[in-house]
Amino acid sequence: MSDTAHDSAEAYEGTDQPDPTPQLRALDRLVGEWTVDGGAPGTVRYEWMPGGYFLIQHVDLEQFGQKVTGFEVIGNLHPFGEPVSDDVVSRFYDSLGNTLDYVYELEGDTLTIWGGAKGSPAYFRGTFSADDRVMEGEWVYPGGGGYPSTMTRV
C-alpha cells in the first residue's frame, strides 16, 4: 500500500462517520422514477447509494433537440479531515461530455436547484404536490431563457 493510501485509510480508523444531514435526507421525496414533461421531456430516476450519503439521479431526456443521458451524484461534501458541508451539492455527468455543478435547497414543498453556486441566476424552482406525486416548476436561465418542467411519479 502506498503511503498516501495508507494515510487515507488511517483517516477513517477510530472515527465515527456523521449521519447523513437532514437537508440531504429531505431529498428522499425524489426517490423513484419520474416522467418529465416540458422543455426537456423524458425520464429520471433517483436512488440512494448504499449507506445513504449520496442520492444518484439517472437521466434520459431530450433537451433542445438533443438526446441527453447522464447521472448526477447529490450529497454533502466531506473532504478528508474536514467537517461535512452545510450545502447539498451535486455534479452531473452527461453523454455530451458536460460536467455541471448544482446546489440543492428544499424549503417546505419548494425545491430550488441552483446552477453552480447558491444564489446563481441559473436555477430550477419547483413545488411538490401534497401527495409528492408531481413536481411542477421551471428552469430559469440568465437573459430570459429557460423552460417549464413537470415531473410525475411513475
Side-chain angles (χ1 to χ4, degrees):
M1 183 181 320
S2 73
D3 287 337
T4 303
H6 181 72
D7 292 343
S8 298
E10 284 184 351
Y12 287 109
E13 288 180 18
T15 63
D16 292 325
Q17 284 295 102
D19 291 332
T21 66
Q23 297 89 337
L24 177 61
R25 294 304 303 167
L27 296 179
D28 192 57
R29 297 170 83 174
L30 291 169
V31 171
E33 187 167 343
W34 302 78
T35 58
V36 181
D37 295 306
T43 61
V44 297
R45 181 172 45 90
Y46 292 87
E47 64 184 349
W48 289 108
M49 190 172 125
Y53 291 95
F54 297 98
L55 185 62
I56 309 299
Q57 179 186 198
H58 304 271
V59 172
D60 188 353
L61 302 171
E62 184 175 316
Q63 186 176 33
F64 306 119
Q66 279 193 300
K67 175 98 167 147
V68 178
T69 60
F71 69 94
E72 181 177 21
V73 179
I74 305 162
N76 298 92
L77 296 178
H78 190 198
F80 285 122
E82 295 183 26
V84 174
S85 69
D86 290 330
D87 288 338
V88 175
V89 300
S90 75
R91 177 157 284 173
F92 176 74
Y93 303 87
D94 75 18
S95 56
L96 303 175
N98 296 303
T99 57
L100 306 171
D101 294 329
Y102 298 96
V103 176
Y104 279 66
E105 185 175 44
L106 181 62
E107 293 183 0
D109 292 331
T110 301
L111 176 65
T112 303
I113 304 171
W114 302 100
K118 189 185 280 188
S120 166
Y123 61 90
F124 169 82
R125 184 162 292 135
T127 303
F128 282 99
S129 63
D131 62 1
D132 284 350
R133 299 208 48 82
V134 175
M135 179 187 292
E136 194 163 357
E138 181 176 6
W139 281 98
V140 175
Y141 298 140
Y147 54 86
S149 182
T150 300
M151 293 192 338
T152 305
R153 192 178 298 278
V154 175

